[in-house]
Amino acid sequence: MPKLGRKEKTMAKIILDPGHVEGYNKGAVSGYYEGTAMYHYAHLLADKLRAAGMEVGVTRTKITDNPSLTDRGKGADMFVSLHSNAASSASANGVTVFYSIKRNADKPHATKWCNELAALINGGTRARGASTRKGSGNWDYYTVIQSAVAAGCPHVFLIEHGFHSTPGECTWLMQAGNLETMAALEARLICDILGVKAS
């Protein structure tokens, strides 16, 4: 008979959100679309996290899925929205990791994530920093971040994995081997934040 009051250990839960929808945001290199690329990458990262013993949900289970921004933000132990960035200048480069204005404790995690990811992408790119973006009131500008916080998720991030509007970074994001390495890196960072030892 189990001891009274003893809590069963549960797996850490994470939600991965591949940003946008299939065919959205064309890259500088033919064949790259942010919404398509991040969908495939999310499922690769999910496999790495499941192998580490985590329970993982992906907001777009099919490539054609396009859930509302509010629905994407349903919380767990961590919510991560996966993106690549764009700018009018083809020389813009680098990694940004956004966290919530209501989750200040995530700033050091976002800073480490940004620095390590920037060191990896394209042989080393600009670490643009850990950032927040505030709306016109006391709320996060990005709806997915706002919704995840409202759902009680303790760790909330939006990752810009380099600039798909820059040929070098776009090309790097199209290489399967690079994505495998990036997924292993991000899975490790996520495990570290949640205090999960890979099984």
Side-chain angles (χ1 to χ4, degrees), residues 145-158:
I145 292 180
Q146 182 187 148
S147 298
V149 169
C153 191
H155 300 286
V156 181
F157 303 98
L158 187 152

Side-chain angles (χ1 to χ4, degrees), residues 10-100:
T10 58
M11 291 188 293
K13 297 179 182 179
I14 179 166
I15 294 174
L16 300 177
D17 171 44
H20 307 297
V21 70
E22 182 183 18
Y24 185 85
N25 274 0
K26 186 177 181 179
V29 179
S30 177
Y32 185 92
Y33 294 90
E34 179 187 3
T36 303
M38 289 297 114
Y39 168 84
H40 292 298
Y41 178 66
H43 287 275
L44 175 62
L45 178 56
D47 288 343
K48 301 283 187 190
L49 292 168
R50 290 181 184 120
M54 291 192 183
E55 181 180 341
V56 185
V58 181
T59 60
R60 291 169 56 205
T61 57
K62 301 189 300 295
I63 196 168
T64 53
D65 286 346
N66 186 21
S68 74
L69 295 178
T70 301
D71 287 340
R72 290 174 189 244
K74 302 294 183 181
D77 296 301
M78 185 184 291
F79 174 85
V80 183
S81 194
L82 304 166
H83 294 260
S84 55
N85 215 337
S88 57
S89 170
S91 63
N93 68 332
V95 170
T96 306
V97 177
F98 289 95
Y99 63 100
S100 172

Side-chain angles (χ1 to χ4, degrees), residues 94-99 107 110-111 114-115 118 126-132:
V95 170
T96 306
V97 177
F98 289 95
Y99 63 100
K107 183 176 182 179
T111 299
C114 180
N115 291 341
R126 177 184 174 191
R128 302 175 75 94
S131 298
T132 58

